[in-house]
Amino acid sequence: MLAEMHIQGLGVIDSATLELHSGLTVVTGETGAGKTMVVTGLHLLSGGRADSSRVRSGAQRAVVEGRFVTTAESGAAEVAGEAGAEPDEDGSLIAVRSVSSQGRSRAHLGGRSVPNTVLAELADQVLAVHGQNDQLRLLRADEQRAALDRFAGEAVEQPLAEYRRLRREWLEVVRELSERSQRSRELEREADLLRHGLSEIEAADPAPGEDTELVDRARRLSDIDQLRELATGAHTAISGSDADDPDGAGAMSLVGQARRLLGSSEDPKLREIGDRLSEAAAVLSDAGTELSDYLEELQADPAELERVLARQAQLKQLTKKYAEDIDGVLEWAERSRDTLRGMDTSEEALAELAARRDSLAAELVEHARELSRIRTEAAGRLAAAVTEELTGLAMAQAEFEVSVSSRHATAGGHETVVLDGKPVHAGPDGVDEVEMRLRAHRGAPALPIQKGASGGELSRVMLGLEVVLADSDTVPTLVFDEVDAGVGGRAAVEIGRRLARLGRTHQVVVVTHLPQVAAYADRHLVVDKATETAGLTHSDVRTVSDEQRVTELARMLAGLDSTETGRAHAEELLEVADRYKADF
């Protein structure tokens, strides 16, 4: 939601702040006071084209600042996060757009300089501006398809999700088949290299960690004399069996002697120490046994050392080519086997892939057909609902249509399937093209809505659409400019009522000149034209309520603000609007 907007140096507005709330907000004011500058400011915040002619005369730049209230899970927060923008402490996002008198434009979001396209992406999530000369959101083909899907609701969600899943699988098979077919020679060369490497590794048949074990074995065989001397000395120190010193006592003998001495004592402390010496004797005995076993295994064998060194050299050939160590070589071999399984370019493999592609395409077509059926049924209901809305919006002769047709495939397009004998484009959202059309009166041709309606009619068509799509529209803020152009009387009241209903589910901002519409507002803003200073007109924006609002509505009633009749009529409009809003 747009909580606040500040405008500075834009058109006739020198400086003004608009405090906005949920529900329906109307902006009124005399002709030339600058009401349209509110919409112009919203356009700038939406990343729209910057026009230096809109900069107030004498000002260096025009600045528009908007504060948007969003949630951490919203699409707006995602856009801000991707741009590196930071929300304020209260979680709101501050967007700023400035235009210099020389035409240079700058944009900021969350205190960070960003391209104008980022503001446009943000606006797609939070703001939709409908005006006579705008490129409206719902005029884009993809938005029209998305609007129809939102209207269809749950009926289209699961079929569309299944279609997208199948399409991803189908495209992957198409890509793989194309790659294998076009790169068969190159892939075959790569496969030969992989097979050669695997053959070399399999011939060597290395074991995991073997290179590390060989290093230890080679070192032991090279240092065998020193190792034997060390082990023999340690064994002698434990057992005392040294041929050069037959009377020398070993550690086992000395510990045994100490244990016997302490064991003969009646002192509990000494006996406790004697028990610990028994444990030490057991450890020494185990160590002596292990040293004996080690010395028996430590045989000097020059042939064994040669075999170890030869094996090391063989494994080094592998580690030089494929990885840093043998474990890495074995991982390379496993990856290569997986790669080879996906590089089969034989006729049998290609035929199997082609059959898989065709099978998935046939399944995809059936899901696309089901999507088209659901959309066609929903299109009829949407067209009838909008046509009914237009009847109450002074367009009783108009008929709204929604067509669903297959999108023809372009020559050479790889996302092509055959539907009912015709090649169609299988896009991410199906094979359908959705177009919204307007028949201005009976007997007139049905034309795309941007061509079949005038500026004021187009705004009313957008209003009718928004009312019908209110429960499914994901954009929280809707702005209408001149939606009431060319209407009056009962039609103006119907526009006010529809905007009021729309304000129950969305934040709605409307620039209007009709008191019948303004009477239904939850919040009323007035753009006042001040006295001219140095040849310049100054305008400001104020919020009106109670008597001030009655005065403004009376002024809108053909300038009847100073008459009792005008004020009475304005009060009557407000009473009727209040009763209507109280009923829903």
Side-chain angles (χ1 to χ4, degrees):
M1 185 183 79
L2 179 61
E4 185 177 85
M5 183 170 72
H6 179 72
I7 301 173
Q8 182 177 344
L10 186 64
V12 296
I13 298 179
D14 183 21
S15 179
T17 299
L18 287 74
E19 294 184 358
L20 303 169
H21 297 272
S22 59
L24 173 60
T25 298
V26 297
V27 181
T28 65
E30 295 183 3
T31 301
K35 299 188 299 294
T36 57
M37 289 302 102
V38 175
V39 178
T40 300
L42 289 170
H43 271 300
L44 289 173
L45 280 182
S46 303
R49 187 177 66 88
D51 186 353
S52 60
S53 66
R54 296 291 190 180
V55 179
R56 179 175 171 79
S57 179
Q60 293 184 346
R61 65 179 56 84
V63 180
V64 182
E65 178 179 314
R67 182 167 64 87
F68 294 92
V69 177
T70 64
T71 62
E73 298 79 19
S74 66
E78 183 178 350
V79 170
E82 291 176 354
E86 294 288 341
D88 276 10
E89 293 180 357
D90 60 359
S92 61
L93 273 173
I94 304 297
V96 181
R97 183 79 182 279
S98 63
V99 183
S100 72
S101 56
Q102 289 77 36
R104 290 190 297 273
S105 169
R106 291 187 177 182
H108 292 79
L109 181 62
R112 188 181 185 89
S113 179
V114 296
N116 289 335
T117 53
V118 172
L119 292 189
E121 292 173 6
L122 178 73
D124 284 343
Q125 301 295 324
V126 299
L127 189 66
V129 181
H130 301 307
Q132 286 195 11
N133 301 313
D134 301 326
Q135 183 67 26
L136 303 180
R137 177 174 60 94
L138 282 175
L139 295 187
R140 300 201 301 261
D142 59 332
E143 284 290 345
Q144 293 186 8
R145 192 270 315 153
L148 177 59
D149 284 356
R150 290 198 303 274
F151 180 77
E154 294 181 359
V156 82
E157 289 178 1
Q158 184 58 38
L160 181 56
E162 184 63 17
Y163 168 88
R164 287 171 173 166
R165 183 194 65 78
L166 272 172
R167 180 178 177 271
R168 286 192 297 270
E169 188 175 350
W170 170 68
L171 285 176
E172 178 59 28
V173 173
V174 169
R175 182 202 61 76
E176 185 176 352
L177 179 59
S178 174
E179 182 177 282
R180 288 200 199 183
S181 300
Q182 294 176 9
R183 298 181 56 218
S184 57
R185 291 184 179 179
E186 180 183 347
L187 289 174
E188 190 58 37
R189 286 195 297 270
E190 292 179 10
D192 283 342
L193 291 173
L194 292 177
R195 281 192 286 266
H196 174 76
L198 286 172
S199 177
E200 190 175 8
I201 294 170
E202 289 167 1
D205 192 22
E210 184 180 358
D211 50 346
T212 302
E213 294 177 5
L214 287 173
V215 169
D216 293 339
R217 287 177 63 189
R219 183 181 298 114
R220 179 178 297 177
L221 289 168
S222 298
D223 301 336
I224 192 167
D225 292 336
Q226 181 184 2
L227 294 174
R228 180 181 289 109
E229 181 181 350
L230 293 173
T232 300
H235 187 271
T236 299
I238 292 174
S239 65
S241 56
D242 188 346
D244 296 331
D245 186 13
D247 297 327
M252 286 284 295
S253 175
L254 295 173
V255 168
Q257 181 181 353
R259 185 182 57 183
R260 286 191 296 273
L261 290 171
L262 295 178
S264 63
S265 172
E266 297 298 327
D267 189 308
K269 184 63 175 179
L270 292 179
R271 295 182 68 86
E272 179 185 347
I273 296 174
D275 292 339
R276 288 161 58 189
L277 286 176
S278 297
E279 296 174 4
V283 172
L284 286 172
S285 177
D286 291 342
T289 302
E290 290 179 16
L291 284 170
S292 296
D293 294 341
Y294 178 83
L295 286 167
E296 289 180 6
E297 295 173 358
L298 199 62
Q299 301 296 328
D301 186 354
E304 174 65 13
L305 179 58
E306 290 181 7
R307 286 193 296 270
V308 169
L309 294 176
R311 181 62 171 171
Q312 278 188 311
Q314 184 183 22
L315 296 186
K316 282 182 180 179
Q317 293 298 317
L318 299 181
T319 55
K320 285 170 63 177
K321 293 181 180 180
Y322 306 111
E324 293 182 356
D325 54 30
I326 287 301
D327 288 347
V329 170
L330 293 173
E331 291 176 5
W332 180 91
E334 187 61 32
R335 290 195 304 271
S336 297
R337 292 187 188 98
D338 292 339
T339 302
L340 276 174
R341 283 190 285 270
M343 293 174 67
D344 189 352
T345 57
S346 65
E347 291 185 4
E348 294 81 3
L350 295 180
E352 183 179 345
L353 268 179
R356 177 63 177 158
R357 174 201 61 193
D358 295 342
S359 173
L360 286 170
E363 196 173 352
L364 190 67
V365 164
E366 290 307 310
H367 280 77
R369 197 191 306 277
E370 176 64 9
L371 270 177
S372 299
R373 185 194 66 77
I374 294 171
R375 285 171 173 158
T376 300
E377 187 275 334
R381 292 189 290 111
L382 176 60
V386 176
T387 298
E388 183 178 352
E389 288 294 326
L390 294 180
T391 299
L393 295 173
M395 296 177 67
Q397 298 296 315
E399 292 182 13
F400 186 78
E401 296 182 2
V402 182
S403 71
V404 179
S405 59
S406 297
R407 180 180 175 184
H408 297 296
T410 57
H414 69 283
E415 299 181 357
T416 300
V417 294
V418 178
L419 178 65
D420 298 331
K422 298 178 181 178
V424 296
H425 176 75
D429 300 304
V431 301
D432 302 316
E433 280 188 326
V434 175
E435 186 175 55
M436 297 178 177
R437 302 172 182 165
L438 183 70
R439 194 185 304 275
H441 54 82
R442 292 183 179 87
L447 299 174
I449 52 178
Q450 63 266 40
K451 297 180 180 179
S454 65
E457 289 175 333
L458 188 55
S459 291
R460 276 175 273 162
V461 170
M462 291 299 107
L463 173 58
L465 263 173
E466 293 292 3
V467 170
V468 173
L469 296 173
D471 293 335
S472 55
D473 202 325
T474 57
V475 178
T477 300
L478 306 173
V479 182
F480 293 93
D481 183 25
E482 301 293 342
V483 70
D484 50 15
V487 300
R490 182 64 183 175
V493 173
E494 290 298 325
I495 290 175
R497 289 179 173 180
R498 281 162 173 77
L499 290 169
R501 291 207 308 271
L502 198 57
R504 291 296 176 265
T505 56
H506 293 69
Q507 180 187 40
V508 182
V509 180
V510 181
V511 177
T512 182
H513 65 278
L514 292 180
Q516 296 95 324
V517 172
Y520 286 86
D522 300 306
R523 190 173 183 83
H524 192 152
L525 304 179
V526 177
V527 181
D528 286 323
K529 183 192 300 184
T531 58
E532 295 188 359
T533 303
L536 295 177
T537 299
H538 295 266
S539 293
D540 197 5
V541 180
R542 58 188 174 93
T543 302
V544 296
S545 59
D546 301 330
E547 286 300 316
Q548 289 182 334
R549 190 176 180 198
V550 172
T551 300
E552 174 63 12
L553 291 178
R555 180 200 63 77
M556 297 173 71
L557 290 164
L560 299 177
D561 54 310
S562 60
T563 67
E564 289 298 324
T565 301
R567 295 182 65 82
H569 191 182
E571 290 172 351
E572 184 180 3
L573 280 176
L574 288 172
E575 289 176 3
V576 171
D578 288 342
R579 285 199 302 269
Y580 177 80
K581 290 192 293 183
D583 291 337
F584 67 85

